[in-house]
Amino acid sequence: MIRTIAIVSLSSGILGELWIRFETDIGFRRLREYGLQVRCMPNALKGQDYLKAHPEKRAQDLLDAFRDPEVDMILCAIGGDDTYRLLPYLFERHALADAATDKPFLGFSDTTINHLMLHKVGLRTFYGQAFLPDLCELSPEMLPYTRSYFEELIRTGTIREVRPSPVWYGERQSFAPDQVGLPLRAHPDRGFELLQGAPVFTGKILGGCIDSMYDCFYDERYADMPSLCRKYHLFPEAEEWKGRILLLETSEEKPAPDKYRRALEALKNAGVFDHVSGVLVGKPMDETYDREYRQMLVQVIDRKDLPVVCNLNVGHAMPRCILPLGTEATVDAEQQVIRFTV
């Protein structure tokens, strides 16, 4: 049972901006209605400019949240694009390894990089939701599918199985105060879709947002990110992917097909597709480039025997499930379920 949640801003500092207060108030109210104690870590609310200039403060919040015995779960405020800058503050002198304790850590998007950091120190984590995008959703209530997985995590500390959502939602075009209480437009969904390979496969899931993983290899966004990732051996070596299930989903930037191909090629060159037991692919936002991405997956992977299951409700497309990373999973595309060994 989760009683106290610590909120951290490890990428963007938007949580601390006054103009978003109407939205964060919704999320804090919903957490309190669950009977949870909510603790924003000391730097989480200091705003975008301060946190952009002080990655060491973001890192300190994460370390302190792990060290605090009263904190039962760590919830990321939102993603962003530069959490890689925490690497020196977490890995010099083994800071993260010394502080890390086994408590749920939940986030997605740029938080993919944090998941890889925690993987390096042997922690299981949870991928798929965050405070601002999910608890603060402007609809009259949390999206029901999203809410069901969040409630399971705070009630049990884990996720036992994931099934498809019957609907998906289009991207909200405005986050202004006049949008509070307005529902998102729902569309019928199609469930898990087997692109190739056997319908049943097993392994521990690892991965996340392909945009963030792309930046581990290419310096288009930040010139120093690939070199820092290499210095701290952030991206797992080829052998570490043996028997794992690769998770891939795309961001709100909706990468063009040529960039998606380059990202897949980077993963292939890193030996990922030679070792994994299968691939799980999240639904793109608004289903943008869905057909093109599937073509790229088949062409780049170039292994017809490797199972690839698409259209998962995870990551940037809404609603969102929660996937345990580092926990043994069995994917059954025929039965439309992913089960986890708890």
Side-chain angles (χ1 to χ4, degrees):
M1 173 73 74
I2 303 298
R3 294 182 176 83
T4 300
I5 287 181
I7 296 180
V8 292
S9 295
L10 303 181
S11 298
S12 169
I14 192 175
L15 185 68
E17 299 297 330
L18 290 177
W19 52 267
I20 206 171
R21 184 69 56 81
F22 77 95
E23 193 171 347
T24 59
D25 284 347
I26 294 171
F28 289 130
R29 173 179 55 79
R30 287 174 176 158
L31 288 175
R32 289 193 298 269
E33 288 173 351
Y34 283 121
L36 296 167
Q37 298 294 317
V38 183
R39 183 175 303 174
C40 286
M41 297 306 289
N43 298 287
L45 296 174
K46 290 189 176 178
Q48 292 174 291
D49 291 343
Y50 181 86
L51 289 183
K52 189 75 173 177
H54 293 284
E56 77 280 4
K57 298 298 186 182
R58 292 182 259 161
Q60 191 61 52
D61 279 354
L62 179 62
L63 295 173
D64 289 345
F66 272 117
R67 290 179 181 131
D68 190 335
E70 294 184 0
V71 170
D72 301 310
M73 173 177 159
I74 301 171
L75 176 62
C76 290
I78 196 171
D81 65 6
D82 76 339
T83 198
Y84 80 94
R85 295 172 63 208
L86 278 59
L87 277 164
Y89 308 104
L90 296 176
F91 286 95
E92 292 295 335
R93 296 181 295 277
H94 309 290
L96 183 59
D98 291 343
T101 52
D102 189 15
K103 59 183 72 174
F105 172 91
L106 177 61
F108 74 104
S109 193
D110 189 43
T111 306
T112 296
I113 302 301
N114 304 122
H115 286 288
L116 292 177
M117 294 174 182
L118 294 168
H119 167 74
K120 276 186 66 65
V121 299
L123 285 189
R124 296 173 299 171
T125 56
F126 295 86
Y127 191 92
Q129 297 182 12
F131 176 67
L132 275 166
D134 296 296
L135 273 300
C136 302
E137 164 57 40
L138 300 181
S139 296
E141 60 179 5
M142 282 183 70
L143 302 178
Y145 180 84
T146 301
R147 185 182 65 232
S148 68
Y149 288 99
F150 184 77
E151 289 177 349
E152 181 179 358
L153 183 59
I154 62 172
R155 185 179 69 253
T156 69
T158 193
I159 301 292
R160 294 184 177 275
E161 68 174 36
V162 166
R163 294 183 182 272
S165 170
V167 299
W168 65 274
Y169 302 93
E171 181 182 4
R172 190 178 289 279
Q173 298 303 306
S174 170
F175 289 86
D178 63 4
Q179 298 297 299
V180 174
L182 296 182
L184 291 164
R185 183 180 178 185
H187 309 268
D189 211 342
R190 304 180 302 275
F192 302 158
E193 297 180 328
L194 183 65
L195 182 63
Q196 64 172 40
V200 180
F201 52 98
T202 62
K204 295 178 180 180
I205 300 173
L206 184 62
C209 181
I210 196 171
D211 306 54
S212 295
M213 288 188 278
Y214 177 94
D215 292 334
C216 291
F217 300 98
Y218 294 96
D219 62 2
E220 296 170 13
R221 192 185 303 269
Y222 290 107
D224 63 338
M225 183 169 173
S227 60
L228 272 177
C229 290
R230 288 193 300 270
K231 177 179 178 179
Y232 293 102
H233 305 283
L234 178 69
F235 195 82
E237 298 293 334
E239 285 295 323
E240 294 180 64
W241 290 97
K242 188 173 183 180
R244 292 188 179 273
I245 297 171
L246 172 65
L247 170 64
L248 298 175
E249 58 97 6
T250 46
S251 79
E252 77 284 356
E253 294 180 358
K254 301 176 180 177
D258 64 326
K259 182 174 181 179
Y260 192 79
R261 175 186 285 275
R262 281 186 287 149
L264 291 174
E265 289 173 343
L267 296 175
K268 184 173 185 175
N269 293 336
V272 175
F273 297 123
D274 292 331
H275 289 84
V276 294
S277 62
V279 182
L280 295 175
V281 184
K283 176 190 284 290
M285 288 183 73
D286 296 323
E287 296 192 331
T288 304
Y289 298 129
D290 183 52
R291 181 176 59 85
E292 292 88 344
Y293 289 166
R294 295 183 191 218
Q295 292 175 344
M296 302 294 175
L297 285 160
V298 172
Q299 293 170 4
V300 174
I301 292 173
D302 194 25
R303 273 189 58 195
K304 293 182 179 179
D305 63 311
L306 183 65
V308 178
V309 174
C310 299
N311 206 49
L312 269 72
N313 305 106
V314 65
H316 286 77
M318 295 181 290
R320 291 182 262 267
C321 70
I322 295 173
L323 290 176
L325 305 185
T327 298
E328 193 68 28
T330 298
V331 179
D332 190 329
E334 289 182 342
Q335 296 298 316
Q336 295 284 289
V337 64
I338 305 171
R339 293 189 172 93
F340 299 95
T341 302
V342 178

